[in-house]
Amino acid sequence: MSVPRTHRPRSKEAIGAYLVNGLLKQVQARQIPLFCNVKVTRILTEVKVTGVQIQTEVGQQIIQSRAVIIATGGFGASKKLISEYRPDLNKYQTTNQPGNTGDGILLAKDIGARLVDMDRIQVHPTVQQDTDHVYLIGETVRGEGAILVDQNGNRFVNELETRDKVTAAIEKLGGTGAYLIFDAAVRSRAKAIDFYDHVGLVKSADNLTSLAQELGVDGETLSRTVDKWNESVSNRLDIAFGRKTGRYLLETPPYAAIHVAPAIHYTMGGVKTNDQAEVLRDDGQPIPGLYAVGEVVGGLHGGNRIGGNSLSETVVFGLRAAQQVRDYIFEM
Ligand SMILES: Cc1cc2nc3c(=O)[nH]c(=O)nc-3n(C[C@H](O)[C@H](O)[C@H](O)COP(=O)(O)OP(=O)(O)OC[C@H]3O[C@@H](n4cnc5c(N)ncnc54)[C@H](O)[C@@H]3O)c2cc1C
């Protein structure tokens, strides 16, 4: 993450909604049937894939098809699978929506798919979880200049280290979480902060002493930390933690803070596929007619995922799977 490399919409809109709205328009324009509130409960096969069994509000039904693309996401919201593969993460909350239950992984496994890297689970370091909701505070806040401090007001890590390392550093603080500290200039560059403020996650004050008081942090320590950070930015040398991404001074009031702690965010493991999105068996052979894309797939990111790479993956392999299915169906 040492150079700008994440692709975003030109309008700086939130990327997820941007992609989904675009896709939905295409689905509507092409009159592609879409079934909502149904749950796939089985993938049907007779040597080749022949369709899926679904559970609807009015009972079970079969949808016949010559190919199936699994795009059911990861299993970050499945306590059962987390307990099975990473019991050490049982206590964590998750940034994932409740539908991320790993169904697709289990459905594919039932018909012989190979699973890989199931114990590789990414815990995101900066998640606000003091209310009923869990909010991921994106890298953009740190990328645009925020620092992280502990309960004493001291920095303790290179804020833009990989997610696993920043998580480990926060965990070492002993369960207190940490504070993201930023100023009005960071806020003007990281538009998401307006939303975080709107939902009540941001504490702000006209100066660092008042902010520290509001957080229950020592004011002198926090001011000293920010002075030292500004010095590092000016000298382009962060002696304490070696952060090379400090480009902006924190000097524009009001100052603000968000309390964060780690939470389960992304499951790198899942169904093994090849580069054409075909689902593979244990013997490495594709299951005819079965494809998988997105977070349900395992093995693409390795032990950790770099921010931004999941949506790139879904777009690239979504298209590839569609092209494969088209060719597969016409060959039949
Ligand atoms: C808060 C947050 C922020 C993120 N920000 C970024 C980012 O900025 N950049 C980036 O690259 N990645 C980001 N990610 C990761 C990325 O959003 C996900 O990895 C990606 O959306 C996964 O897409 P998908 O299509 O594989 O699955 P999903 O988007 O999870 O969709 C799967 C769908 O399948 C449904 N489903 C599951 N089981 C069944 C079943 N049995 N029958 C029918 N339907 C089923 C689910 O309910 C869900 O609707 C973020 C994730 C979160 C949680």
Side-chain angles (χ1 to χ4, degrees):
M1 305 297 274
S2 51
V3 291
R5 46 164 287 283
T6 304
H7 294 268
R8 290 191 197 164
R10 247 185 220 114
S11 59
K12 299 220 165 149
E13 277 173 74
I15 176 70
Y18 174 86
L19 286 175
V20 171
N21 287 339
L23 289 168
L24 198 55
K25 269 189 205 149
Q26 294 297 323
V27 166
Q28 285 162 348
R30 288 153 204 252
Q31 300 184 323
I32 298 169
L34 197 62
F35 305 93
C36 294
N37 296 321
V38 303
K39 182 180 163 117
V40 178
T41 50
R42 243 177 89 202
I43 298 170
L44 306 172
T45 50
E46 291 166 7
V47 186
K48 293 174 179 174
V49 162
T50 58
V52 291
Q53 176 181 292
I54 57 170
Q55 183 67 44
T56 74
E57 283 157 358
V58 293
Q60 275 190 359
Q61 289 180 28
I62 301 288
I63 299 179
Q64 286 181 326
S65 67
R66 286 184 283 173
V68 167
I69 303 176
I70 311 172
T72 47
F75 60 94
S78 168
K79 284 274 176 217
K80 191 166 172 282
L81 287 177
I82 299 284
S83 301
E84 186 177 338
Y85 289 99
R86 284 292 300 275
D88 58 308
L89 299 181
N90 266 339
K91 64 171 182 153
Y92 284 89
Q93 302 230 45
T94 180
T95 61
N96 291 187
Q97 54 96 6
N100 283 137
T101 46
D103 288 14
I105 297 173
L106 300 177
L107 294 172
K109 186 177 168 220
D110 278 351
I111 58 165
R114 180 173 169 206
L115 306 187
V116 286
D117 291 349
M118 288 295 284
D119 59 344
R120 307 295 174 143
I121 295 175
Q122 181 174 80
V123 177
H124 195 287
T126 59
V127 180
Q128 217 301 326
Q129 39 196 300
D130 298 336
T131 68
D132 290 346
H133 289 276
V134 172
Y135 294 96
L136 180 138
I137 311 298
E139 265 80 8
T140 180
V141 177
R142 281 170 281 153
E144 294 297 347
I147 58 170
L148 275 170
V149 303
D150 62 16
Q151 291 287 326
N152 300 318
N154 290 311
R155 280 180 74 219
F156 56 93
V157 70
N158 166 358
E159 290 82 355
L160 282 170
E161 254 297 356
T162 49
R163 290 174 174 173
D164 53 347
K165 289 190 180 142
V166 181
T167 291
I170 296 178
E171 289 304 4
K172 258 176 114 178
L173 302 176
T176 55
Y179 288 106
L180 279 164
I181 303 287
F182 51 93
D183 67 352
V186 172
R187 185 172 174 148
S188 70
R189 292 188 295 268
K191 285 284 159 221
I193 295 175
D194 288 343
F195 169 75
Y196 303 145
D197 197 13
H198 177 71
V199 292
L201 311 181
V202 179
K203 294 205 158 86
S204 53
D206 288 338
N207 55 60
L208 285 168
T209 313
S210 309
L211 181 66
Q213 217 166 24
E214 206 179 330
L215 305 178
V217 168
D218 181 63
E220 270 181 37
T221 311
L222 184 63
S223 300
R224 215 174 24 246
T225 298
V226 171
D227 285 346
K228 265 202 229 159
W229 170 245
N230 285 342
E231 218 176 285
S232 310
V233 173
S234 302
N235 297 338
R236 297 188 162 271
L237 182 65
D238 175 22
I239 293 170
F241 300 104
R243 176 170 167 184
K244 294 197 173 108
T245 52
R247 287 178 288 161
Y248 305 108
L249 299 174
L250 291 175
E251 58 175 4
T252 316
Y255 292 94
I258 301 177
H259 184 230
V260 291
I264 290 172
H265 180 54
Y266 187 90
T267 48
M268 274 79 71
V271 173
K272 174 80 182 158
T273 55
N274 60 17
D275 62 1
Q276 301 305 321
E278 293 174 298
V279 175
L280 303 182
R281 294 198 179 92
D282 267 333
D283 63 6
Q285 289 306 306
I287 299 177
L290 189 61
Y291 302 80
V293 297
E295 201 172 329
V296 70
V297 171
L300 197 66
H301 298 283
N304 197 8
R305 178 179 69 88
I306 297 178
N309 272 5
S310 168
L311 295 180
S312 315
E313 173 205 333
T314 60
V315 170
V316 169
F317 284 96
L319 178 61
R320 204 169 275 192
Q323 288 164 339
Q324 288 300 313
V325 166
R326 178 199 58 200
D327 294 349
Y328 173 77
I329 287 174
F330 282 119
E331 271 168 20
M332 286 175 96

